[in-house]
Structures are given as structure tokens and as C-alpha cells.
Amino acid sequence: TESREGRGFGHGLEAYVLLDLVHLGKKKIVNDLPQIRHVGKLFENIDLVEKPMIIRPTAHYSMGGIDVDKFDDMSTTLPGLFTAGEASCVSIHGANRLGGNSLADAVVTGKIAGDGAAAYAGTTEYSAGKRLVDLAGQWKSRFVGVTKGGDARQMYAIREEMGAQLWDNMGIFRTQAKLAALAGTLDDLQSRYDALRIPNANPVYNSVFTEYVELGNMLQLARAACLAATARRESRGAHTREDFPKRDDANFLKHSMVTMDEGGRLHMGWKAVEIANFKPEERKY
Ligand SMILES: Cc1cc2nc3c(=O)[nH]c(=O)nc-3n(C[C@H](O)[C@H](O)[C@H](O)COP(=O)(O)OP(=O)(O)OC[C@H]3O[C@@H](n4cnc5c(N)ncnc54)[C@H](O)[C@@H]3O)c2cc1C
């Protein structure tokens, strides 16, 4: 808000404000805020006793993920696919994962998923299956197709534009107009991505191809998040809609579910929230 209203420094992705603790005095900073002072020294080589430090928002977690079908083994609706940690949606964090909770999530769900996957492997005859062989074939031809010469800079340009557009339109504050504009931009970026060619055809340790695949995954995820953010016409957790600032349990106490069909089209759906011991309440500070 400080940046948006012109009281910050820099623009766009480079916008920042300054955290100034100097007025608290050395004694208070040393005694009460030693960790913050340490972070300032470690990352910026700044002593917060003497100088302010640059602060800007960052994404530190993806809320949501691959939907867990059974919590006792972290299996999904795709047979043989298990999920855990940040990639999964175990629904233990609600709409805003609190600081410190994700490492506990990763350790607990990782153990359950590991046990589940091992048990499944022990009872399943491994066979690549026609679908997997077909998929491998498709990826092989895709590799040959996209590595027929090209300019990797175009790939980085798509990635950079995607980041800037996501930040501007879906970063912290969201509105219908911003999300609609973003959906259009993401479709354009997807078309540019689909037409992209990259220069490196080396089948071994080809990091350009890895980045190409990752960019495709990020675009897919961005489109899914944009679809869900557009449909959720309320504010909840980290999802802040300026046009719908209130939480709306009557209409949106449900999970957003985005699925993709064989043609790559995304579809919006919902899943009921199972409420057990704790009734959802508005969080008040
Ligand atoms: C700045 C920041 C601060 C954070 N602070 C905290 C904190 O204080 N406390 C807390 O609890 N959490 C914190 N988190 C969140 C926490 O770090 C992550 O949620 C957690 O590390 C996720 O663990 P993970 O094992 O699920 O996923 P990751 O650590 O992301 O591991 C996924 C791994 O899979 C690999 N991979 C990806 N694709 C493929 C592929 N196709 N084939 C093979 N490998 C692949 C990746 O290279 C990666 O090594 C923070 C996150 C950030 C970014």
C-alpha cells in the first residue's frame, strides 16, 4: 500500500519501502530484535542500529497444490501418484499458510506419502503401460520439435513478462478487471510459448530444455490460479479481492478445484470443505 500510494521507492517489481529501526536505539535492537539485526547484516551488510533496510513483499509459498484423495497414504485420484509438502494440497493450511507450518507439513506428509508409495509399489506389478509409453513418445517428439534452433532470450522474455504481469495483476491486491486482463495476457504468453523454439538440442543435461519445461508448468499453474482467483469473488486468507473485500462463507466455504482436459483446457470446479472439530471463524487481530 505504501508503494502503491507513492510513499515508497522504485517501481513495479523493483518497488520497495525502508524498514527504519534507528529511533529504537541500540540497546532495544540488540536486546529485543537480535534476529532482525542479524538478517540485515547477513543479507544486506547493514547494521539496523545505524541504517534502514530495504523491504519488499515476496512469494514464499504456493497455497493449494495436487489434491490429496486419501490422507492415510497421500494418494491422489491418479493411481500411483502420491503427493506431499508444498506440491500437495492436504488442506491443513486453509487459505493462508502460516509462517513455520510448511516444514512440519513437508515432514509429516512426506513420511506418510513415502510409506504409502512404498506400500503401493510392494503390491503393484510395475509395468510402463501404454499411456506412459505414449507420453514418453510425445515428450521425445516435443524435445526434437522445440530444439530445432531458436533464441533462448525469447523464453526468458516470456518468463519475465509472466512474472511482472502476475505481480501487477494477481500479486497482493486483485480485482475482476485486473484478473480479466491477466487471463488475456496469459493466453498470449501461452501462444508465444507454444510457438517457442530453443537452441540447445543436447539430450544430456540440457538445462535450457529443463527451463523450457518449467516455464510451461509455471504458465499452466498461473492460468489455473488466475481462473480460481477470478471465480472466488470474496477475500479469504492470502486472496485479497479489492472488489469483494469480505469473506463470504455462504458462497465460498469450499475448495477451488481446477482440472485440465486432454486438450489442455482448464475447468473450474469446487469441493466441499469437511469441517470436523473447529468451526471456521473470521480471523481478527
Ligand atoms: C523465502 C521463503 C521463506 C520460507 N520460510 C519458511 C519458514 O520459515 N518456515 C517454514 O515452515 N516454511 C518456510 N518456507 C516454505 C518452505 O521452505 C517450503 O514450503 C518447503 O521447503 C517445501 O518443501 P518441499 O519439499 O515440499 O518442496 P521443495 O523444497 O520445493 O522441493 C521440491 C524439489 O523437487 C525438485 N523438482 C521439481 N521438479 C522436479 C522434476 N520434474 N523432477 C525432479 N525433481 C523436481 C526441485 O528441484 C526441489 O528440489 C519458506 C519459503 C520461502 C521461499
Side-chain angles (χ1 to χ4, degrees):
T1 300
E2 295 301 310
S3 285
R4 280 204 311 173
E5 295 182 358
R7 293 183 294 272
F9 306 89
H11 297 285
L13 289 173
E14 303 295 319
Y16 65 92
V17 294
L18 289 169
L19 173 69
D20 190 353
L21 302 183
V22 176
H23 65 287
L24 295 177
K26 184 167 184 178
K27 200 170 150 206
K28 193 162 178 62
I29 295 174
V30 169
N31 288 337
D32 297 351
L33 303 165
Q35 277 184 322
I36 295 179
R37 187 181 182 211
H38 179 65
V39 167
K41 276 214 167 129
L42 194 64
F43 291 110
E44 292 288 322
N45 199 23
I46 281 175
D47 188 349
L48 283 161
V49 168
E50 292 161 6
K51 272 191 189 170
M53 183 170 69
I54 288 179
I55 298 287
R56 68 163 66 101
T58 184
H60 73 150
Y61 193 80
S62 286
M63 256 77 74
I66 304 164
D67 187 43
V68 177
D69 190 40
K70 294 199 187 80
F71 296 110
D72 51 2
D73 63 359
M74 295 293 147
S75 54
T76 66
T77 50
L78 198 64
L81 180 71
F82 296 78
T83 184
E86 191 165 335
S88 66
C89 183
V90 196
S91 301
I92 49 180
H93 301 302
N96 193 4
R97 192 271 297 177
L98 296 181
N101 284 0
S102 80
L103 297 184
D105 163 2
V107 170
V108 172
T109 58
K111 158 94 169 105
I112 301 171
D115 288 345
Y120 177 82
T123 59
T124 309
E125 194 64 31
Y126 175 75
S127 100
K130 185 175 171 328
R131 187 166 152 71
L132 209 55
V133 172
D134 284 353
L135 268 176
Q138 282 168 26
W139 271 101
K140 203 169 169 187
S141 22
R142 192 164 160 196
F143 177 79
V144 173
V146 297
T147 55
K148 281 203 170 120
D151 188 349
R153 280 175 300 186
Q154 285 182 22
M155 178 171 84
Y156 298 119
I158 295 175
R159 188 176 165 150
E160 210 168 302
E161 197 174 330
M162 178 185 71
Q165 290 286 336
L166 286 172
W167 173 242
D168 281 346
N169 296 311
M170 205 169 67
I172 298 177
F173 301 107
R174 301 157 175 197
T175 62
Q176 189 67 29
K178 280 181 170 189
L179 292 167
L182 178 66
T185 307
L186 289 174
D187 285 347
D188 290 348
L189 291 175
Q190 184 71 51
S191 308
R192 276 166 62 191
Y193 176 81
D194 293 341
L196 195 64
R197 298 287 174 272
I198 53 169
N200 189 346
N202 189 346
V204 181
Y205 201 74
N206 186 336
S207 58
V208 179
F209 184 69
T210 305
E211 287 183 72
Y212 164 83
V213 174
E214 285 176 355
L215 178 59
N217 292 343
M218 284 189 268
L219 271 170
Q220 232 169 50
L221 191 59
R223 285 166 55 227
C226 183
L227 187 65
T230 308
R232 188 168 281 278
R233 295 172 357 141
E234 63 152 1
S235 291
R236 180 184 297 266
H239 170 65
T240 304
R241 288 278 305 247
E242 289 185 297
D243 41 0
F244 297 97
K246 286 251 172 269
R247 191 172 110 177
D248 177 1
D249 280 354
N251 293 303
F252 292 105
L253 183 56
K254 52 190 179 182
H255 299 289
S256 309
M257 304 287 291
V258 179
T259 48
M260 188 170 74
D261 64 25
E262 295 276 331
R265 281 176 299 271
L266 298 177
H267 301 278
M268 188 66 219
W270 306 95
K271 186 169 134 180
V273 176
E274 282 174 38
I275 293 162
N277 295 337
F278 301 102
K279 273 208 154 83
E281 281 177 23
E282 194 179 341
R283 192 199 288 171
K284 291 190 180 122
Y285 293 101

